[in-house]
């Protein structure tokens, strides 16, 4: 069964990708979507078997892979609780994204290529989460990097899409260098890349030292930090986060697949999979907690100022990933995975809901040109509303709540219970919960409430005029079912998305509402959690006991700050709409700092990009052209050309010319003989 789950997406990608010109759009979509729904249908029973306690961990050998001295390992598919959780997250979201793309990409000329990329990405992610050794995990790790590059730059005729794809690829290579060094070091220390063998031996290496950069340092700290650098790149943590917002240049279904549920959660999965290693180093756990909390705070502050609907959700993703990491740093790996699980549903819902809004608004992504859309696209509105209730953590302690209420509150309670730096992370998380509520409800109010502001959008005006005979962008689809008049947008009416886009929204809405209440017991409750995870990650039963016994004010504080954020957003964008402008005028420098994303891109441009270009130009002009070409190919070519011209002049065809050359040769030969023999 696990073989079918993993390899069906690969088979579908090969058929759709290589046979796209032969089989056409619809068969390619049927094959890829059918393969993903089949994988999804096979994944849920595996997950539910672990939930009910009937599932057993298993390893399936596919083939013997590498045998080189001490380095020997097979290509194996590991199935345990941690894998089962990731299987349902990946296949469910991917299957729904495939279905959603039927409507969203309907007018794109390269649909088979798009669906092939989606399936290829899913296969790579499945390889990553089923890996039983670090090399196989790295294979999947790099596979999702390649597929994300292809998907982000899918509309390759757009310079911005190409730039975003290259940026994602380059930034992730920085993180992957750390991951590779971590794998090399782990093999050096443990003599194997088998994950079970490494985790079994890890406690015995606690306190040992290793030579690193001329110093003797704690072995497990160095290994864990190097591995975590890889997680920082894939999961867009502070410092290696700059690729994630730009990746919104890809089609919206790509954002839902890559940036909500799969690739960006790979780092969290890796840390949880290797959690027994991280448990041996307090320093590594502290770094994970600090970076997670810092990312959580940074991304939330930036999200409060953005106008692009997809960028707001992208920074929200970055912030929520920070929650997961500081939970892992606190030792609450079960809580981190639970938030990963629930986040997949409500964040994919928000991304796909945003795509439905963009579809209705002729690909306008600026929320300043939305307004009052709840009456025009009611299903999308209610889906986005449920997603917002989930991400803001609406719920009542001890009663019931949406998905994010259980998972986010579980993280905050565990961080508080862990003490020390965890208490600081708790307060950072509380403040971020307030910001999350504010920017999430800001998005809802700007998009679905207030007066329509469509007539201000030049983008929509051009799109409406284009629908009357001036052509379309080859890389964007536009629905023509509206009543446009000659004045541009005066008669434009947003419309609901097709059924293929609405069904995924409805299904994900169910997950956003019920995933928390249905599964929070096995994920984070002490006794049930021990049985559920069954050694697939380091589950701290004592910590989770303490988390459930925190003071009542700790349990109610997240709800309180959520309500404050909701009120502030309502007061600013519904009741008193002049308030945001007055705030910006009063705190102009702060707003510019946050709106420009703390100037990370500008800083990196000065520190890395410009020097890299300068070095490249130097080696190009002075090294390649000025030295190598001058004295190498160009110099040799000039010598040959000069010799050729001389030879041409000598080859005149006249007998006296050849006789003269022969005479010179005889004179030279006679002179040499006289010098050497006389």
């Amino acid at each position: 069964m696990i073989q079918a789950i993993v390899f069906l997406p690969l088979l579908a990608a090969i058929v759709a990708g290589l046979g796209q010109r032969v089989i056409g759009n619809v068969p390619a979509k049927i094959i890829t979507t059918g393969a993903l729904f089949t994988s999804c249908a096979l994944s849920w029973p595996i997950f539910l078997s672990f939930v009910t306690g009937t599932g057993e961990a298993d390893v399936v050998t596919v083939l013997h892979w590498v045998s080189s001295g001490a380095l020997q390992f097979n290509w194996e598919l590991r199935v345990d609780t941690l894998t089962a959780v990731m299987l349902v997250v990946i296949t469910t979201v991917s299957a729904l994204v495939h279905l959603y793309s039927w409507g969203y990409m309907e007018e794109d000329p390269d649909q088979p290529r798009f669906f092939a990329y989606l399936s290829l990405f899913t296969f790579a992610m499945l390889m990553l989460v089923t890996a039983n050794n670090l090399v196989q995990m790295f294979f999947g790790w790099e596979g999702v990097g390649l597929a994300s590059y292809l998907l982000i730059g899918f509309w390759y005729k757009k310079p911005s899409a190409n730039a975003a794809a290259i940026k994602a690829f380059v930034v992730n290579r920085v993180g992957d260098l750390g991951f590779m060094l971590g794998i090399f070091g782990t093999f050096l220390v443990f003599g194997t890349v088998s994950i079970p063998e490494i985790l079994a031996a890890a406690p015995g290496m606690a306190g040992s030292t290793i030579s690193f950069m001329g110093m003797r340092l704690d072995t497990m700290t160095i290994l864990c930090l190097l591995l975590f650098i890889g997680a920082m790149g894939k999961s867009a943590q502070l410092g290696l986060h700059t690729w994630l917002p730009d990746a919104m240049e890809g089609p919206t279904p790509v954002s839902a697949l890559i940036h909500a549920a799969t690739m960006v959660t790979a780092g969290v999965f890796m840390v949880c999979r290797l959690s027994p290693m991280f448990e041996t180093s307090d320093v590594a756990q502290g770094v994970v907690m600090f970076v997670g909390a810092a990312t959580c705070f940074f991304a939330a502050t930036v999200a409060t100022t953005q106008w692009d609907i997809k960028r707001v959700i992208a920074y929200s993703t970055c912030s929520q990933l920070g929650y997961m990491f500081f939970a892992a740093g606190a030792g609450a790996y079960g809580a981190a995975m639970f938030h990963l699980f629930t986040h997949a549903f409500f964040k994919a819902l928000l991304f796909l809901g945003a795509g439905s809004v963009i579809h209705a608004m002729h690909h306008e992504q600026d929320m300043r040109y939305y307004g009052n859309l709840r009456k025009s696209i009611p299903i999308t509105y209610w889906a986005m509303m449920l997603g917002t209730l989930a991400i803001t953590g609406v719920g009542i302690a001890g009663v019931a709540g949406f998905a994010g209420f259980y998972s986010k509150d579980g993280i905050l309670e565990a961080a508080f219970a862990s003490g020390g730096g965890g208490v600081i992370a708790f307060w950072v998380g509380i403040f971020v919960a307030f910001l999350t509520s504010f920017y999430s409800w800001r998005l809802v109010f700007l998009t679905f409430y207030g007066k329509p502001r469509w007539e201000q959008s030049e983008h929509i005006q051009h799109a409406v005029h284009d629908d009357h005979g001036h052509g379309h962008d080859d890389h964007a689809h536009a629905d023509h079912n509206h009543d446009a008049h000659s004045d541009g947008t005066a008669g434009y009416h947003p419309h609901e998305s097709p059924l293929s886009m609405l069904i995924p929204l409805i299904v994900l809405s169910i997950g956003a509402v019920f995933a928390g209440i249905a599964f929070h017991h096995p994920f984070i409750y002490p006794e049930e959690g021990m049985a559920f995870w069954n050694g697939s990650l380091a589950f701290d039963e004592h910590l989770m006991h303490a988390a459930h016994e925190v003071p009542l004010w700790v349990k109610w504080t997240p709800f309180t700050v959520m309500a404050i954020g909701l009120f502030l957003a309502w007061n600013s964008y519904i009741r008193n709409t002049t308030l945001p402008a007055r705030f910006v005028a009063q705190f102009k420098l702060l707003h510019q700092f946050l709106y420009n994303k703390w100037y990370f891109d500008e800083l990196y441009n000065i520190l890395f990009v410009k020097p890299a270009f300068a070095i490249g130009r130097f080696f190009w002009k002075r090294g390649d052209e000025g030295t190598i070409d001058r004295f190498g190919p160009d110099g040799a070519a000039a010598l040959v050309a000069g010799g050729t011209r001389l030879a041409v002049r000598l080859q005149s065809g006249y007998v006296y010319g050849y006789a003269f050359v022969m005479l010179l040769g005889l004179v030279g030969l006679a002179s040499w003989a006289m010098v050497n023999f006389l």
Side-chain angles (χ1 to χ4, degrees), residues 127-149:
M127 283 301 306
L128 192 159
V129 301
T130 57
N132 199 40
N133 61 73
L134 292 176
V135 178
Q136 186 178 327
M137 182 182 285
F138 188 72
F139 170 81
W141 196 271
E142 293 303 295
V144 293
L146 168 64
S148 67
Y149 169 80

Side-chain angles (χ1 to χ4, degrees), residues 338 406-407 514-525 528-529 548:
F338 187 36
Y406 290 97
S407 58
F514 296 110
I517 196 170
F519 297 112
H520 70 286
H521 271 274
F523 272 90
I524 60 175
Y525 269 69
E528 295 184 44
H548 289 290

Side-chain angles (χ1 to χ4, degrees), residues 571-623:
N571 188 53
S572 301
Y573 295 98
I574 299 295
R575 181 185 178 190
N576 186 2
T577 55
T578 63
L579 185 60
R582 297 206 309 270
F583 179 88
V584 170
Q586 183 72 27
F587 301 97
K588 189 174 182 180
L589 292 178
L590 175 63
H591 178 266
Q592 287 182 343
F593 179 70
L594 298 180
Y595 183 75
N596 288 286
K597 303 159 288 187
W598 291 26
Y599 293 100
F600 267 100
D601 284 314
E602 290 78 3
L603 178 63
Y604 285 0
N605 189 50
I606 294 172
L607 293 179
F608 303 116
V609 178
K610 287 185 176 179
F613 274 106
I615 294 171
R617 280 192 298 269
F618 173 80
F619 283 112
W620 170 28
K621 294 295 185 181
R622 299 291 181 88

Side-chain angles (χ1 to χ4, degrees), residues 76-338:
E76 298 172 330
L77 304 179
R78 180 177 183 82
V79 182
D80 57 14
T81 308
L82 190 59
T83 304
V85 172
M86 295 304 296
L87 287 179
V88 295
V89 166
I90 295 165
T91 58
T92 301
V93 173
S94 184
L96 293 174
V97 165
H98 275 73
L99 178 59
Y100 181 93
S101 300
W102 279 60
Y104 195 87
M105 303 295 290
E106 183 180 4
E107 296 185 14
D108 195 280
D110 289 330
Q111 293 177 59
R113 180 167 64 91
F114 179 76
F115 280 83
Y117 288 169
L118 287 182
S119 296
L120 178 64
F121 176 90
T122 306
F123 162 73
M125 192 68 199
L126 290 170
M127 283 301 306
L128 192 159
V129 301
T130 57
N132 199 40
N133 61 73
L134 292 176
V135 178
Q136 186 178 327
M137 182 182 285
F138 188 72
F139 170 81
W141 196 271
E142 293 303 295
V144 293
L146 168 64
S148 67
Y149 169 80
L150 297 173
L151 286 167
I152 294 168
F154 177 76
W155 288 327
Y156 57 86
K157 293 183 180 179
K158 292 171 59 179
S160 57
N162 283 327
I166 293 172
K167 187 175 184 180
F169 198 82
V170 171
V171 173
N172 272 277
R173 296 293 72 72
V174 176
D176 291 351
L177 175 61
F179 191 33
M180 284 191 291
L181 292 175
I183 294 174
F184 298 156
T186 301
F187 176 71
L188 177 66
V189 171
F190 293 97
T192 180
V193 292
S194 170
I195 293 175
E197 294 179 18
I198 292 168
L199 300 185
M205 294 302 300
S208 64
T209 60
I210 189 173
S211 177
F212 183 75
M213 298 179 67
M215 298 175 287
R216 298 298 300 183
L217 301 173
D218 184 78
T219 302
M220 297 308 297
T221 298
I222 293 299
L223 295 182
C224 290
L225 290 180
L226 288 172
L227 293 168
F228 180 61
I229 291 172
M232 288 177 62
K234 274 289 182 287
S235 295
Q237 293 301 284
L238 190 65
L240 297 177
H241 68 279
T242 53
W243 67 271
L244 183 62
D246 289 16
M248 297 303 106
E249 288 290 339
T252 300
V254 172
S255 303
L257 179 61
I258 295 180
H259 309 121
T262 51
M263 175 175 159
V264 294
T265 61
V268 180
F269 166 81
M270 185 263 283
V271 171
C272 291
R273 171 62 83 196
L274 303 179
S275 53
M277 290 182 66
F278 284 83
E279 284 289 299
T280 63
S281 172
D282 292 336
V283 174
Q285 284 190 303
V287 171
V288 172
M289 181 185 293
F290 172 78
V291 172
T295 305
C296 196
F297 173 75
F298 155 76
T301 60
V302 175
T304 60
T305 63
Q306 302 301 302
W307 294 111
D308 186 312
I309 187 171
K310 287 176 65 177
R311 282 183 178 268
V312 173
I313 303 174
Y315 278 107
S316 172
T317 297
C318 198
S319 182
Q320 297 300 311
L321 289 165
Y323 270 116
M324 300 174 204
F325 275 111
F326 84 64
Y333 302 100
M337 286 303 300
F338 187 36

Side-chain angles (χ1 to χ4, degrees), residues 535-552:
S536 62
L537 52 70
F539 186 85
D540 190 337
E541 186 178 4
H542 299 293
L543 174 62
M544 299 318 295
H545 265 298
H548 289 290
E549 295 171 0
V550 295
L552 193 60

